[in-house]
Amino acid sequence: MMGQLYSVGRNIEAKVMKFVSKALIVSLMGASLLAGAAHAATTDKKIALSNNYAGNSWRQAMLKSFESVGKKAVADKVVAKVDVFTTADRAVPTQAAQIQNLILQRYNAIVLNASSPSALNGAVRQACSAGIIVVSFDSIVTEPCAWRITVDYNAMGRQQVAELARLQPKGGNLLEIRGLAGTSTDAKIHGGITEGLKNYPQFKVVRSVTGDWDQTTAQKNISAVLPSLPPIVGVVSQGGDGYGAAQAFAAARKPRPTIMLGNRQDELAWWQQQKQDGYRTWSASISPGISSFAFWVAQQILDGKPVPKDITIPYLAFTQENFEAELKAIPKGGVASKDYTQAGAIAIITKK
Amino acid sequence: MEASAPRFGVAPLARTLLPAFSLALVLAAIATLNPFAISYMGFNLMLNLAIPIILATMAQLFVITGNDLDLSIGSFIGFVCCVAATWLTTDPLLGAGILLGSIIVYALLGALIHWRNLPSIVVTLGMSFVWQGLAVLVLPDPGGAAPEWLMTLMGFQPYFIPFPILAAIVVAAVTHFLLMGTSYGAILRASGGNAAAVARAGWSLLRIKMALFALAGLFGALSGLALIGITTSGDANIGSGYTLLAIAGVILGGGEFVGGRVSPIGAVMGALTLSLASSSLLTFMQVPPDWQVAANGAILIIVLAARALINRRKA
């Protein structure tokens, strides 16, 4: 009985809200035509970021990027409110509960870096049926009602091999550093590297170790296998592990191979040191600024713009020529990032 | 044994009332921060993930009743989720068989702990890796789908009372009856209080330990089923946080680590308080991002410390 009353009440409320918001939109449109602003439909919208882990430099930069772009959007009156939420543990149900609470906080859009591709689907569906826009990025969700923003990891893996072939045309033995086992990111980068190697048969991966995108883990695991390895000409990696690899080779007094780097400050600083005797390499990774891109995607959807459900954004790469300029901009212990502007995000969304 | 604590009187009363008091306090805070949350839909959203926590807390409660601790309940729940998202959907008979088998394994663990007089912490810590490994074997990549009937059940919307609250009342009533209302329940609790006396009275301690662990397995399996019904899809790491939450729920609900002193109704309220405090309250408080993780810990400590304070003053 109360349930019925409740739903009737909700219906009336929804109808009134619809009427009010329509009136509001019409009047705002009039106002914005006068003022010349272009964000009429989203000035009263609230956007939240749901994040499940903040314990490494990449995630920290990701949160900062979302916060700074969001703050500016609020100041510019593009949206009403932007908030960032991080769960206390990495457990999946904690993030599912967080999403349910964000529904209750009446956010209009939830931007999501998911702890599980599938196990948040229940909560995501609840958000969608409450009329909330859900945009997942980096670690995406499979629930069809959500938008998915990924980086072309496969292309990043292939390009690594191509760059390595340019730097080491004669080929030789390679060491591969893998990421966190069982994640889609690790599988995709590894897949790209494997595909790339088919085009360059002069290379041979003689050993692969797990680095977990972490310098210490990479150094430890490489040090353990180095004594048993034949001479290595190159190291293909996933980012966050290149500096550790360099340390392992130096400690074992092995000749320095061409190590593919991943845009971390310690990696680029090491590159700058090595550059003095003519060392050449390449660096690429996913930009933490992908969170700011996801923010603009949510804003565009709320604005009523057509946005495809799957969007791939390019990875961020640096070459011998331009890495030092970037290095100055990265905080110590941080990672290279690129905040997206609204115009920059729209260009990628509409490119298809 | 706390000889100084009176058996009747103020302290036991405070112990029963405290969980209700903490729960009311957290609810009042939520009502002030977000009045919209105190509604039918609000309780549904805030509390439906509390159902698996309540069931996990009950599983832990049975183990704690016998002076043991189960460090594997979280990964066991994860294993149940993975079985439910795969076999229980594609081959219900096989799935149900595996779940039944895993409850029997739980009972056998109880037997092993009693027979060799092993510390339960060590045995269950080992088992946590076994369950985790089996979960990864069953479901190597996150995915799978929960059985339709389970999702329908967890999405049930009764009139007037939100389903999570109804479920909490049913679980509290059933476990209270089992432990407090039956004579064998009294024996189970007594095995934690004075095992030697129970044995001298002719009861088999082996059978008691097996019963307690089988009950833990049963409620752990129910917790996993409830969880997968809500999330709709599985992940081998899904239950990792539940081990410690369940222990905290029992203690917050007025239970003691030793002596067979537990309170099923209190533990249900403890689990509700914990899940509200660690998620809803935190989200509604709008803590700055850099402080959120620490704030979550602080809320838990405050909620649990209140119990210790009141206990000490009354005792």
Side-chain angles (χ1 to χ4, degrees):
Chain A
M1 238 168 48
M2 276 298 278
Q4 271 170 337
L5 277 180
Y6 175 78
S7 68
V8 169
R10 285 287 296 160
N11 262 336
I12 295 171
E13 193 188 352
K15 271 179 192 153
V16 172
M17 280 300 289
K18 220 179 244 174
F19 176 74
V20 171
S21 61
K22 259 185 198 159
L24 208 65
I25 288 169
V26 170
S27 62
L28 280 172
M29 270 164 75
S32 70
L33 280 178
L34 292 174
H39 312 302
T42 59
T43 38
D44 59 338
K45 301 294 189 200
K46 302 198 297 176
I47 299 179
L49 172 69
S50 166
N51 173 48
N52 75 315
Y53 178 59
N56 62 27
S57 61
W58 193 92
R59 286 282 172 130
Q60 286 292 337
M62 183 273 278
L63 292 171
K64 284 278 168 314
S65 172
F66 189 90
E67 237 187 329
S68 67
V69 170
K71 262 195 192 133
K72 188 167 178 307
V74 173
D76 295 346
K77 306 241 179 318
V78 182
V79 292
K81 205 161 179 292
V82 176
D83 291 311
V84 173
F85 296 92
T86 298
T87 56
D89 53 27
R90 298 169 85 166
V92 183
T94 318
Q95 197 176 17
Q98 184 185 58
I99 292 170
Q100 294 178 324
N101 288 313
L102 294 175
I103 300 173
L104 280 176
Q105 280 288 68
R106 299 178 147 178
Y107 284 95
N108 302 94
I110 297 172
V111 177
L112 176 69
N113 197 342
S115 49
S116 163
S118 55
L120 291 175
N121 285 356
V124 169
R125 203 172 304 155
Q126 281 175 322
C128 290
S129 46
I132 295 168
I133 304 295
V134 181
V135 178
S136 65
F137 70 96
D138 183 27
S139 297
I140 53 168
V141 291
T142 53
E143 168 58 43
C145 76
W147 274 259
R148 292 165 293 274
I149 302 168
T150 49
V151 165
D152 200 344
Y153 285 118
N154 193 282
M156 193 174 108
R158 276 180 281 138
Q159 189 60 31
Q160 261 195 50
V161 182
E163 293 290 334
L164 197 59
R166 208 168 47 77
L167 296 165
Q168 297 280 0
K170 277 186 283 180
N173 294 325
L174 300 184
L175 173 70
E176 184 184 3
I177 312 175
R178 298 285 300 264
L180 208 57
T183 60
S184 62
T185 307
D186 170 61
K188 281 184 201 156
I189 300 178
H190 172 71
I193 289 173
T194 314
E195 271 173 47
L197 284 171
K198 282 186 194 133
N199 300 328
Y200 301 98
Q202 67 267 43
F203 288 118
K204 181 169 171 261
V205 174
V206 289
R207 188 72 189 244
S208 101
V209 296
T210 307
D212 289 352
W213 309 313
D214 173 62
Q215 310 290 10
T216 322
T217 312
Q219 182 179 353
K220 196 179 69 189
N221 291 347
I222 293 172
S223 296
V225 299
L226 260 189
S228 66
L229 292 184
I232 301 284
V233 298
V235 177
V236 281
S237 67
Q238 302 204 348
D241 42 20
Y243 181 69
Q247 295 299 308
F249 276 89
R253 298 184 188 282
K254 292 260 185 180
R256 172 187 65 189
T258 304
I259 302 172
M260 294 283 119
L261 303 175
N263 295 358
R264 268 60 169 188
Q265 185 265 344
D266 47 10
E267 293 178 342
L268 298 189
W270 176 79
W271 188 359
Q272 194 173 35
Q273 269 173 23
Q274 308 301 312
K275 192 190 159 193
Q276 285 158 10
D277 58 29
Y279 186 73
R280 299 178 71 81
T281 184
W282 188 72
S283 177
S285 184
I286 167 176
S287 164
I290 186 174
S291 61
S292 60
F293 179 79
F295 169 80
W296 290 118
V297 167
Q299 188 269 336
Q300 287 293 299
I301 301 166
L302 288 173
D303 203 7
K305 300 277 163 43
V307 178
K309 280 271 163 118
D310 289 282
I311 306 172
T312 307
I313 68 170
Y315 53 86
L316 191 59
F318 298 101
T319 61
Q320 199 75 20
E321 287 68 43
N322 65 10
F323 83 92
E324 281 170 300
E326 181 63 27
L327 179 58
K328 290 192 198 98
I330 314 174
K332 211 166 167 46
V335 52
S337 184
K338 173 175 177 266
D339 286 351
Y340 282 85
T341 59
Q342 190 186 33
I346 292 174
I348 293 177
I349 295 170
T350 49
K351 194 179 66 185
K352 284 284 276 182
Chain B
M1 291 289 288
E2 301 167 54
S4 62
R7 203 83 189 99
F8 302 98
V10 196
L13 187 69
R15 199 178 294 160
T16 346
L17 284 182
L18 187 69
F21 179 68
S22 336
L23 182 58
L25 206 65
V26 171
L27 276 175
I30 287 173
T32 341
L33 291 168
N34 185 356
F36 179 63
I38 307 296
S39 63
Y40 185 88
M41 187 186 120
F43 279 116
N44 256 339
L45 283 171
M46 280 194 297
L47 290 178
N48 77 350
L49 276 162
I51 302 174
I53 297 181
I54 289 172
L55 290 164
T57 304
M58 288 304 117
Q60 191 67 259
L61 180 103
F62 287 114
V63 177
I64 289 181
T65 301
N67 289 357
D68 285 317
L69 265 186
D70 183 3
L71 297 185
S72 66
I73 194 71
S75 40
F76 176 66
I77 290 168
F79 166 75
V80 172
C81 280
C82 290
V83 171
T86 51
W87 287 318
L88 201 58
T89 311
T90 54
D91 190 349
L93 220 57
L94 177 68
I98 290 174
L99 292 185
L100 201 66
S102 63
I103 295 173
I104 295 171
V105 169
Y106 246 88
L108 292 176
L109 283 178
L112 179 73
I113 286 168
H114 173 78
W115 177 48
R116 301 304 303 165
N117 201 13
L118 294 168
S120 59
I121 293 183
V122 177
V123 175
T124 56
L125 180 67
M127 280 311 288
S128 75
F129 299 113
V130 173
W131 295 124
Q132 177 76 32
L134 289 175
V136 175
L137 278 180
V138 174
L139 194 67
D141 298 314
E148 201 63 48
W149 57 268
L150 210 49
M151 292 194 273
T152 317
L153 175 71
M154 295 313 291
F156 177 52
Q157 301 213 338
Y159 286 124
F160 195 61
I161 302 180
F163 178 63
I165 295 180
L166 192 69
I169 293 172
V170 170
V171 173
V174 168
T175 45
H176 184 83
F177 174 74
L178 268 178
L179 274 179
M180 306 295 184
T182 63
S183 54
Y184 198 63
I187 300 298
L188 291 180
R189 283 184 291 128
S191 78
N194 191 341
V198 172
R200 213 166 297 141
W203 296 93
S204 157
L205 286 179
L206 174 72
R207 228 176 269 166
I208 288 173
K209 193 65 87 188
M210 286 177 77
L212 285 172
F213 271 81
L215 281 166
L218 172 67
F219 277 80
L222 290 176
S223 170
L225 292 176
L227 181 57
I228 197 72
I230 298 167
T231 62
T232 71
S233 186
D235 187 317
N237 299 314
I238 200 165
S240 55
Y242 279 10
T243 306
L244 294 178
L245 268 180
I247 298 175
V250 174
I251 301 308
L252 182 61
E256 306 271 345
F257 279 117
V258 289
R261 288 205 194 126
V262 290
S263 159
I265 296 176
V268 168
M269 287 192 283
L272 282 171
T273 312
L274 276 179
S275 55
L276 281 176
S278 65
S279 183
S280 304
L281 189 61
L282 189 73
T283 311
F284 300 155
M285 276 186 359
Q286 308 251 341
V287 183
D290 292 339
W291 293 96
Q292 281 169 3
V293 175
N296 188 1
I299 291 175
L300 292 187
I301 292 176
I302 290 170
V303 168
L304 286 164
R307 183 196 115 103
L309 271 179
I310 291 186
N311 269 3
R312 190 155 308 158
R313 201 178 313 145
K314 302 280 179 181

